[in-house]
Amino acid sequence: MARVLEFKLPDLGEGLTEAEIVRWLVDVGDVVTIDQPVVEVETAKAMVEVPCPYGGVVTARFGEEGAELPVGAPLLTVAVESAEGASVRGTSASGPSADRNTGSGEGIRPSGDGTGPAGESSGNVLVGYGTAAPAARRRRVRPSAFTAPLSSAPAPAPAPSSSPTPGIGAGEPMTAASTAAGASASASASTSAPAPASVARSSSVAPVAPVAVGHSSAADSGQMEGADENHGPVAVISPLVRRLARQHGLDLRHIAGSGRDGLILRADVESAIRGADDKRSADPEVQSVSESEPVAGAGERIPLRGVRGAVADKLSRSRREIPDATCWVDADATELMAARAAMNGAGTGTGGAAPKISVLALLARICTAALSRYPELNSTVDADAREIVRLPAVHLGFAAQTERGLVVPVVRDAHSRNAESISEEIGRLTEAARAGKLTPAQLTGGTFTLNNYGVFGVDGSTPIINHPEAAMLGVGRIVAKPWVHQGELAVRQVVQLSLTFDHRVCDGGTAGGFLRYVADCVEQPALLLRAL
């Protein structure tokens, strides 16, 4: 006899709350083995294949290709063998997967279900992220304005209601299968473990309001997100609901929630949007404008999501929080280009031609040398503590344009690499970026960014700092220009360098000194020998 287990979209790390289904790798009725990839999803960081921790027969899929699901929403259900608690393993029952589940006997619980006993899954939804549930811990549940006091008498069963069940994404329909997904989420919520007896006996502790599947950041602390100092907390859990309201210019404080304890659902926001549209359409002035000329914003609408949405959010936050300033200088790159040609023309002696070193790699090596002299620019600002945090290592990000948009892969420990090593790592990360195979870990953790916009044929720019870093160096195209060299007018290879920096971490003198040193190394690459 088989029983059906539900596999939910796992937490992909780095604070990601949602993912878009790009391609299903299995169909309903297919037999899957443990750790077999079942769906390809695109997050704001990268495109990844998600393996299923169960082995069995796929009985349902939730979400069509192109649909966006929040973390924790059901992906698919699998019918597994239930005899003695063993799952259907197919050909992998005697392989490494079986060994993982019979070693310690500690019972790893996958995040897709979180309720199964030991041995039902591998726990390896994503390598590097894992699916094991965190160890059980006690925490106090703080009462809030949206929770009711706990009485000693059992709570009465809720009366039947015709309103939609708040399940996936706080009641928002996502696909044609959302009804089944909502039912699964409701069943999971109704069978959750009861509160500890010590909590039940305390009259000063209130139960936490029901939390929508897939949103746990604020709900785990028993409080709603978005508290407002003047108007109190806003009863919203789903970030999708918040984004929808923000896109339509709605104030959530003025929307009455239809969910439990006044929780604002997606249906409430959509109703408010329709009401606002009806009001505008009924306004004679608006009608007269629409009849005479097109209304602004009536053109094609492109959702800000995935990589484009992540870039928009980060750049907006940078402009909002960082008081940046930009300085720039022109530099004669003739000697740098000659040095690169000499490096690439040299042989290894035994292994044939040496690996080619890119101009970007040479500039990256110059940046690491400059940051060792001006460590203020390899730092970040802790605004809450009002402290500048100087970072010991240089993790150098570089902007790479791909078909999926702009991404910033990170070269780890760039300060300890030579130009050849940096060039090889940049090449490897660039290929992974173009193939959409970069992991979130390869796209985060940078401390300084190098932006080569010269590949687009432009000379200058005022870069926006990659929050929460403190500076970014922009490099324009290297082009032949008239230049005074050794007292005479000559044609030289000239490049414009621009540095945007956080004025909180340093003043213009430090930023100017950094940029001047970079320019000097571009004009005289031999200066780098001092930094070796």
Side-chain angles (χ1 to χ4, degrees), residues 22-280:
V22 176
R23 180 167 59 98
W24 281 104
L25 305 179
V26 296
D27 294 319
V28 175
D30 287 355
V31 177
V32 296
T33 58
I34 291 177
D35 292 344
Q36 175 181 335
V38 294
V39 65
E40 187 179 60
V41 300
E42 180 181 25
T43 69
K45 300 292 185 182
M47 191 178 301
V48 295
E49 291 182 349
V50 180
C52 179
Y54 307 123
V57 179
V58 178
T59 59
R61 299 186 320 192
F62 301 99
E64 301 297 330
E65 294 181 356
E68 193 172 77
L69 302 183
V71 169
L75 271 177
L76 50 79
T77 55
V78 180
V80 302
E81 182 182 335
S82 59
E84 300 298 327
S87 63
V88 176
R89 300 178 184 273
T91 58
S92 64
S94 60
S97 297
D99 295 338
R100 286 195 299 269
N101 291 305
T102 57
S104 62
E106 293 179 352
I108 299 176
R109 295 189 303 166
S111 64
D113 179 69
T115 59
E120 286 186 344
S121 69
S122 68
N124 295 328
V125 167
L126 283 180
V127 176
Y129 303 106
T131 60
R137 65 174 186 266
R138 296 180 179 272
R139 60 181 176 86
R140 292 181 297 175
V141 182
R142 299 180 180 177
S144 68
F146 302 97
T147 58
L150 185 66
S151 63
S152 57
S161 173
S162 59
S163 60
T165 302
I168 307 166
E172 53 231 23
M174 296 176 296
T175 65
S178 61
T179 303
S184 300
S186 300
S188 175
S190 65
T191 57
S192 59
S198 60
V199 176
R201 286 193 298 268
S202 174
S203 60
S204 62
V205 179
V208 181
V211 178
V213 176
H215 305 290
S216 59
S217 58
D220 285 346
S221 63
Q223 298 177 352
M224 300 296 179
E225 292 184 4
D228 185 89
E229 295 180 357
N230 300 322
H231 299 83
V234 180
V236 179
I237 292 177
S238 170
L240 299 179
V241 173
R242 290 184 173 277
R243 185 176 65 181
L244 183 63
R246 184 169 60 251
Q247 289 174 346
H248 291 82
L250 296 179
D251 190 342
L252 288 171
R253 294 189 300 266
H254 300 155
I255 298 178
S258 62
R260 183 174 177 180
D261 298 319
L263 184 68
I264 299 176
L265 307 179
R266 180 170 182 172
D268 302 325
V269 177
E270 291 175 342
S271 177
I273 294 172
R274 288 192 297 269
D277 292 340
D278 294 342
K279 183 177 180 180
R280 283 194 294 266

Side-chain angles (χ1 to χ4, degrees), residues 3 13 50 56 58 85 118 121 135 155 225 248 271 288 297 313 332 338 368 378 389 422 447 483 487 497 528:
R3 63 193 183 104
V50 180
V58 178
S121 69
E225 292 184 4
H248 291 82
S271 177
S288 62
D313 292 340
D332 181 0
T368 59
N378 192 57
V389 182
I422 292 176
T447 63
W483 189 266
L497 307 171
L528 280 177

Side-chain angles (χ1 to χ4, degrees), residues 481-485 488-492:
K481 289 184 178 180
W483 189 266
V484 176
H485 177 65
E488 296 182 357
L489 188 63
V491 176
R492 307 287 288 181

